[in-house]
Amino acid sequence: MAAWTEQQTRDQLLDSFIDQDPLMISLVRPTWTTTAAGGRIESGTTTLPAQKFYFIPFKRRLTQEYGFNPQSFGEDKVEKVHYILIFKRDVDIQVGDYFEVTGTDRLQDGRYTVEFVSPRGWDRQQAGILFRG
C-alpha cells in the first residue's frame, strides 16, 4: 500500500494550480454586536494575516453546495457572485469577511465581500466574492 494518499495528491494539484498566479489577500473579519432594538452593528474588525488565493472572474450564476441539503429537498440556493477565490484547505475565511483593494493592476479598486464558502473541501476550496465598489 502506498504512503501517498489521494487527498495528498489533490492537495498537491491544487497547490500547483494556485502557485501559477497567486494573489496575497489580508481578509478583514467584522465583529458584530446586538443592539438594544434587536439589530446588529459592526463593533470592530480583526485583520487576518495575508493568505494565498487564486482569483477567477465569474460572470454567471453559481449554484452553491450545502452540506445539509440533499437533492431531495429541491434546488440549491443560487448566488450572483462576481469572482471566485480558490484556496488551500487551511486558509481562514468565513462568510462576511472582506478585503479592500487600492492601486493594483489585477483588481478594480474597492471592497470585495465573501458571500459564501463552499463546504465541499475534498478536492478544492472555493469562496464566492462580490465587488461592492
Side-chain angles (χ1 to χ4, degrees), residues 70-89:
Q71 289 184 348
S72 61
F73 286 6
E75 294 184 11
D76 288 332
K77 183 178 178 184
V78 175
E79 288 283 344
K80 170 73 170 106
V81 295
H82 295 154
Y83 305 97
I84 299 291
L85 292 177
I86 305 293
F87 51 92
K88 298 178 184 180
R89 290 185 295 141

Side-chain angles (χ1 to χ4, degrees), residues 11-38:
D11 289 345
Q12 185 181 34
L13 289 170
L14 185 60
D15 292 351
S16 297
F17 177 74
I18 293 170
D19 288 340
Q20 295 303 309
D21 192 19
L23 184 64
M24 297 302 289
I25 297 174
S26 292
L27 294 169
V28 177
R29 184 161 297 150
T31 304
W32 299 96
T33 302
T34 304
T35 65

